[in-house]
Amino acid sequence: MSNQPIYLDYNATTPVDEHVLEAMLPYFKEKFGNASSIQHAYGWDAEEAVDRSREQVATLIGARPNEIIFTSGATEAINLALKGIFETRQDNKNQMITCETEHKAVLDSCAELEKSGAKITYLKVDDNGLINLENLEQSITPQTLVVSIMYANNETGVLQPIQEIAEICKKHGVPFFTDATQAAGKIPFNLGELNLDMAAFSSHKLYGPKGIGALYLCKDSSLHLHPQIFGGGHERGYRSGTLNVPGIVGFGKACELAGELLVSESERLQNLRNRIEKELSQLGSVKVNGEKPERLPHVSNVSFHDVEGSKLMRLLKGVAVSQGSACNSSVIEPSHVLKAMGLSDRLAYSSIRLSLGRYTTDEEVGKAVQIIRGAIEQLRMQLL
Ligand SMILES: *Cc1c(COP(=O)(O)O)cnc(C)c1O
């Protein structure tokens, strides 16, 4: 590990917690049963494990177990939510409302639906990364099928006013879907109280395995979703395919742990995050993006003025952080999130996201700050 860069990219993915791995292992070998094999004990064991996990996931997010649909991850949950709604539309409803700073899983799903006749309204955000609630309300029309606004932004950690959005949607009788992938396990919330219709989650962002996630579909919602995958009728027909039992077990365990650790972990990481921001700000001409509004405790998105963004990552080899968004190609493009918040291409390009996590230590933070400060000072010298 010693030659590896310091990992400060927990928003991209997290390692599997050792307790999670331990919980999963039996389900690869001795408890390998198919959760749909209701005729024998192998199946019962698997089914029991899936039931337990469904409860663990539901408990973390304040849902009921029968509101959880397991998917292969948040991307699939988002596709199921958005395409699923569009494909059951009635009358001439075809409008969907989202915002410019969403994850690509939402933006690309919307772009795909546009080809099938959906009219997408992309709400703008202010320089804090927040949508305007009046804009949202004015954008709702009798044709609106769904409002899709993320809970916590993956690049800045900024939290949208999810409760207020839910109330506006309720008032107008429009379903509300939120991509809550980055919020789950990081800040407390209770979907049962939030009055929204659907939410997407992913296991590998909270110390569970990759390739498993969930769509929350509220029981009280009158929503009908058209399934995207057929065959066998698993997950109440919403998502067919043999259940990924080890993945589901890991996801459940990860949710249980996240719930137990949430308060202490977020406090510890917020202190480390604040320290990073304070020490980087001493460089001068540094901007913390989304600093003002409520945001996730473990995330910091920092822009450095007067540096050549294209040279930044080369000098930051000692730290694993993310810059811009490496989309379809290996070419790094300036972040669409930062640009939507009003940053120039140039400043967006000389910005980095630091996201801390369960295994981040004080010592690592100290070293990382040193590396980043050194890099910025060197790049600024070059521009003189
Ligand atoms: C990671 C992420 C996704 C995609 O999740 P996968 O499970 O990897 O498909 C979607 N939305 C947000 C906000 C994310 O951070």
Side-chain angles (χ1 to χ4, degrees):
M1 278 302 271
S2 55
N3 284 331
Q4 289 282 77
I6 298 165
Y7 191 75
L8 296 177
D9 206 12
Y10 282 83
N11 277 17
T13 193
T14 59
V16 170
D17 187 292
E18 60 176 307
H19 301 290
V20 170
L21 180 62
E22 228 171 87
M24 290 172 71
L25 286 175
Y27 295 91
F28 287 104
K29 287 193 79 179
E30 62 268 29
K31 297 185 180 182
F32 62 88
N34 186 327
S36 304
S37 301
I38 53 171
Q39 296 87 356
H40 52 69
Y42 294 91
W44 303 333
D45 279 353
E47 190 192 15
E48 202 180 290
V50 168
D51 287 347
R52 193 179 332 117
S53 298
R54 208 183 290 282
E55 243 175 78
Q56 289 166 320
V57 174
T59 300
L60 176 69
I61 60 178
R64 290 165 283 189
N66 60 0
E67 295 176 315
I68 304 297
I69 301 164
F70 287 118
T71 64
S72 65
T75 300
E76 191 195 322
I78 290 164
N79 275 263
L80 174 55
L82 297 178
K83 293 182 188 163
I85 284 196
F86 185 75
E87 289 170 8
T88 52
R89 69 192 182 282
Q90 286 178 336
D91 313 320
N92 50 359
K93 285 195 179 192
N94 64 351
Q95 187 214 12
M96 307 174 94
I97 300 173
T98 185
C99 103
E100 287 184 336
T101 54
E102 292 290 311
H103 190 273
K104 289 288 179 193
V106 168
L107 294 177
D108 289 356
S109 293
C110 287
E112 193 58 29
L113 288 171
E114 267 179 318
K115 296 180 192 163
S116 311
K119 296 271 181 289
I120 315 287
T121 304
Y122 296 94
L123 298 176
K124 296 204 174 312
V125 297
D126 61 17
D127 53 7
N128 292 315
L130 296 172
I131 63 161
N132 179 303
L133 293 173
E134 280 166 32
N135 279 351
L136 167 65
E137 191 154 15
Q138 285 160 4
S139 302
I140 295 175
T141 70
Q143 276 74 48
T144 308
L145 281 167
V146 66
V147 169
S148 171
I149 302 288
M150 74 199 314
Y151 197 159
N153 186 274
N154 46 301
E155 292 192 28
T156 60
V158 167
L159 305 178
Q160 296 290 355
I162 225 74
Q163 177 133 36
E164 286 87 342
I165 297 170
E167 280 162 19
I168 289 171
C169 291
K170 196 98 204 154
K171 182 172 138 195
H172 293 274
V174 173
F176 176 32
F177 163 67
T178 191
D179 174 0
T181 306
Q182 292 287 353
K186 312 298 165 63
I187 51 166
F189 60 85
N190 186 309
L191 292 182
E193 291 165 5
L194 274 172
N195 241 327
L196 45 78
D197 297 87
M198 296 187 292
F201 300 95
S202 179
S203 152
H204 76 96
K205 303 288 173 75
L206 44 81
Y207 310 95
K210 294 168 181 60
I212 187 78
L215 179 69
Y216 159 83
L217 175 59
C218 179
K219 271 283 168 206
D220 305 330
S221 167
S222 51
L223 261 182
H224 293 290
L225 286 185
H226 195 253
Q228 301 298 306
I229 297 177
F230 295 85
H234 307 76
E235 297 300 270
R236 291 179 285 124
Y238 287 114
R239 205 283 190 179
S240 287
T242 302
L243 293 183
N244 171 1
V245 177
I248 289 169
V249 167
F251 184 21
K253 186 67 186 176
C255 286
E256 183 187 81
L257 285 173
E260 287 167 11
L261 298 173
L262 196 147
V263 173
S264 61
E265 197 161 78
S266 60
E267 249 179 53
R268 186 181 79 85
L269 295 179
Q270 183 158 18
N271 284 331
L272 288 178
R273 191 271 308 275
N274 293 349
R275 176 182 159 201
I276 290 178
E277 289 184 350
K278 187 165 151 238
E279 293 182 7
L280 289 181
S281 293
Q282 288 164 358
L283 282 164
S285 297
V286 167
K287 175 176 161 39
V288 176
N289 298 301
E291 185 175 17
K292 267 193 250 153
E294 282 193 62
R295 61 178 164 146
L296 295 173
H298 62 283
V299 184
S300 181
N301 192 303
V302 192
S303 301
F304 303 96
H305 288 274
D306 313 317
V307 306
E308 185 64 63
S310 62
K311 295 183 181 161
L312 189 54
M313 288 320 257
R314 234 179 302 147
L315 294 180
L316 291 181
K317 286 247 163 71
V319 285
V321 297
S322 76
Q323 178 198 32
S325 33
C327 324
N328 336 341
S329 56
S330 51
V331 183
I332 308 259
E333 308 219 349
S335 148
H336 70 283
V337 174
L338 298 182
K339 283 173 69 173
M341 291 166 73
L343 271 70
S344 64
D345 273 19
R346 185 177 156 77
L347 191 57
Y349 205 36
S350 49
S351 307
I352 54 174
R353 174 188 72 187
L354 304 120
S355 44
L356 320 185
R358 191 164 292 168
Y359 308 107
T360 306
T361 63
D362 288 26
E363 194 194 346
E364 284 180 318
V365 162
K367 273 194 201 153
V369 167
Q370 232 181 353
I371 294 170
I372 297 166
R373 285 179 62 132
I376 299 302
E377 279 165 356
Q378 190 177 333
L379 288 172
R380 284 185 177 165
M381 294 279 279
Q382 286 175 9
L383 279 187
L384 285 181

